[in-house]
Amino acid sequence: MVTPVLPKSLDSPVQPIKPLNPPLMMAKQVHPPKSQYPLVQTVASIQISKPLNSSSASCGSGTVGSLDSPVQPWKSLDSPLMMAEQVQPPKSQDSLVQMVASMQLSKPLDSSSASTGSGAVGSDLGAAPFDICMGNSKGIFKLNRPLHEINKEKRLRERELSNSAAPPQRLRPGMVLLKNFLKLDDQVEIIKLCRELGVGTGGFYQPGYREGGKLSLRMMCLGKNWDPDSRSYGDIRPFDGAQPPQMPQELTKFVEEAIKASHDFLKQRGKGATEPSVELPQMSPDICIVNFYTTGGKLGLHQDKDEDESSLEKRLPVVSFSLGDTAEFLYGDDRDVDKASKIKLESGDVLIFGGQSRLIFHGVSGIMPKSAPLMVTDKANLRPGRLNLTFRQHKYEP
């Protein structure tokens, strides 16, 4: 009988070969084919590998092996069944498979809201609300500037505003522009408040029309929902049944201060000018449309005439806050871009139009990238773009 030569053990010297007389004993001594050894070596190398400063490597819901425990010696392969059990991948490899699967299936945050062109965010019931700020989104890393740089810019900004602050402007009867009216800290407060409301129920979404067109902005309504398709106000959003958030008192306070400042400015003009309360009637805001324009956002010429008839008859004004990047604002008596007047609305500007100018055509022809005050973007983490709040009084009550 020919004596078989057995392969060496991975960890021990060659043992003397005993004569194989009984057939059963010969069957016990048979080793797995050499082609299986690389797999055993691979499994062994996975078990003994240990990353620096780590006792275990955890990923997802599974842990990749126990890296502190010593390598256990391989048991002798006494039967074909045990041989099959020994060459099976250990449970640690299942975790590796799960890790790869989770990496392939993971979906970036806000992927449904990344596009402002063709994404049907408003009609997607599963879409997460759009976040106007960057610091609270996973996967987005932003290095904050040192505090002394921020404070230095703040002082320079305040000095510039105090030395060369543009005075209020009466653009036309019933239309007043308050330049730099909102202080930097107030702007940050408003942005954070809008962000908090915007990621909740009834928050920011991309509005669209029944035929499939989409507005190149994100919108949130306060007080009542405005539907661009039906051009009417209601208590809920038609596509998801969400109720709009209520108007915060902090915002109402800023609006009242802006109207008072416009009246004070009109009084100072004097010289037979129209009574300020007639040119710009007093208004108590109960609704607001909050729009966020990305750097490519636009809004065509339109009129704000969907409020209650009692409000329109009294010509109660619209009060507009601009935050973030500068916008090129168009306005005029006709829906004609070529005939429209143009002004730049910068972060902190407040525009008020009512009285004779209540139904002017107006729109946004473009956004100027990287024009927002760094003080505002750093402290509020506002995304690149423009945040615009337009306050109105839906119904006039004497």
Side-chain angles (χ1 to χ4, degrees):
M1 175 182 295
V2 178
T3 302
V5 179
L6 300 178
K8 294 182 179 181
S9 173
L10 294 175
D11 299 322
S12 62
V14 178
Q15 300 295 326
I17 302 174
K18 296 180 180 180
L20 304 178
N21 293 327
L24 180 59
M25 187 173 184
M26 182 186 298
K28 292 182 179 179
Q29 294 295 334
V30 173
H31 282 255
K34 289 185 178 181
S35 60
Q36 291 185 351
Y37 284 128
L39 177 59
V40 176
Q41 294 172 356
T42 302
V43 174
S45 65
I46 292 176
Q47 288 188 333
I48 65 176
S49 299
K50 182 176 181 181
L52 293 176
N53 300 326
S54 175
S55 60
S56 64
S58 177
C59 185
S61 58
T63 302
V64 185
S66 176
L67 300 180
D68 286 334
S69 58
V71 178
Q72 300 298 325
W74 295 99
K75 296 182 180 179
S76 59
L77 306 179
D78 293 332
S79 67
L81 179 58
M82 182 172 283
M83 183 190 304
E85 293 174 349
Q86 292 291 345
V87 298
Q88 291 293 330
K91 290 183 179 180
S92 61
Q93 285 190 348
D94 293 338
S95 298
L96 290 174
V97 175
Q98 294 172 0
M99 176 181 68
V100 174
S102 64
M103 291 172 63
Q104 291 176 337
L105 296 177
S106 61
K107 184 179 181 182
L109 188 66
D110 291 340
S111 61
S112 61
S113 61
S115 173
T116 59
S118 59
V121 177
S123 59
D124 186 357
L125 297 180
F130 179 77
D131 194 340
I132 63 173
C133 296
M134 296 187 295
N136 299 283
S137 297
K138 295 181 180 179
I140 299 178
F141 299 93
K142 181 181 178 183
L143 296 177
N144 292 328
R145 293 190 305 151
L147 183 60
H148 70 275
E149 290 187 7
I150 296 177
N151 291 333
K152 180 180 179 181
E153 184 198 347
K154 181 179 179 181
R155 290 192 296 269
L156 291 175
R157 175 74 173 174
E158 290 176 344
R159 189 180 301 118
E160 290 175 358
L161 295 179
S162 61
N163 294 335
S164 59
Q169 305 174 40
R170 182 177 181 263
L171 301 178
R172 52 180 287 165
M175 189 173 187
V176 173
L177 173 61
L178 303 175
K179 293 293 296 182
N180 305 313
F181 179 77
L182 298 171
K183 299 178 182 179
L184 293 175
D185 290 339
D186 294 337
Q187 296 178 47
V188 173
E189 178 185 350
I190 295 172
I191 292 171
K192 290 183 176 181
L193 181 57
C194 289
R195 188 266 165 186
E196 181 180 352
L197 296 173
V199 297
T201 303
F204 284 103
Y205 75 105
Q206 186 179 18
Y209 300 97
R210 190 169 303 173
E211 63 272 13
K214 294 287 179 181
L215 276 69
S216 59
L217 50 79
R218 305 287 167 150
M219 184 174 76
M220 172 178 65
C221 298
L222 304 178
K224 282 183 174 295
N225 179 75
W226 179 73
D227 181 18
D229 192 54
S230 63
R231 299 197 62 85
S232 62
Y233 287 93
D235 295 328
I236 61 172
R237 289 199 307 213
F239 74 88
D240 64 354
Q243 292 184 343
Q246 294 300 310
M247 176 81 72
Q249 289 297 321
E250 297 91 332
L251 297 181
T252 301
K253 175 177 173 290
F254 287 126
V255 174
E256 292 174 347
E257 291 176 352
I259 293 178
K260 181 179 183 303
S262 66
H263 285 173
D264 292 342
F265 162 68
L266 292 175
K267 286 180 181 179
Q268 293 175 3
R269 293 182 71 250
K271 298 180 181 180
T274 307
E275 175 66 25
S277 61
V278 176
E279 183 169 351
L280 277 178
Q282 187 66 41
M283 184 265 288
S284 299
D286 54 9
I287 56 175
C288 177
I289 296 179
V290 187
N291 289 331
F292 181 81
Y293 300 79
T294 60
T295 53
K298 298 180 180 180
L299 185 61
L301 290 172
H302 65 283
Q303 294 174 300
D304 291 346
K305 57 179 182 179
D306 300 326
E307 290 71 38
D308 189 81
E309 290 185 4
S310 61
S311 178
L312 297 176
E313 288 177 356
K314 290 292 183 180
R315 300 180 178 181
L316 302 184
V318 174
V319 179
S320 172
F321 290 179
S322 293
L323 304 166
D325 286 331
T326 300
E328 185 177 69
F329 184 80
L330 308 179
Y331 65 96
D333 293 320
D334 303 307
R335 185 177 286 164
D336 190 337
V337 174
D338 296 330
K339 296 180 180 180
S341 300
K342 299 179 181 180
I343 57 171
K344 290 182 179 180
L345 295 181
E346 301 173 310
S347 189
D349 290 351
V350 174
L351 179 66
I352 306 175
F353 54 97
Q356 297 183 33
S357 296
R358 178 59 178 84
L359 296 180
I360 60 168
F361 288 91
H362 59 282
V364 175
S365 58
I367 305 296
M368 298 176 58
K370 299 181 180 180
S371 55
L374 294 179
M375 173 71 182
V376 173
T377 56
D378 283 350
K379 293 188 67 173
N381 288 324
L382 182 67
R383 291 179 182 272
R386 175 189 183 236
L387 184 66
N388 176 229
L389 295 80
T390 53
F391 301 89
R392 313 113 191 274
Q393 183 173 342
H394 180 256
K395 186 176 183 179
Y396 174 74
E397 295 181 356

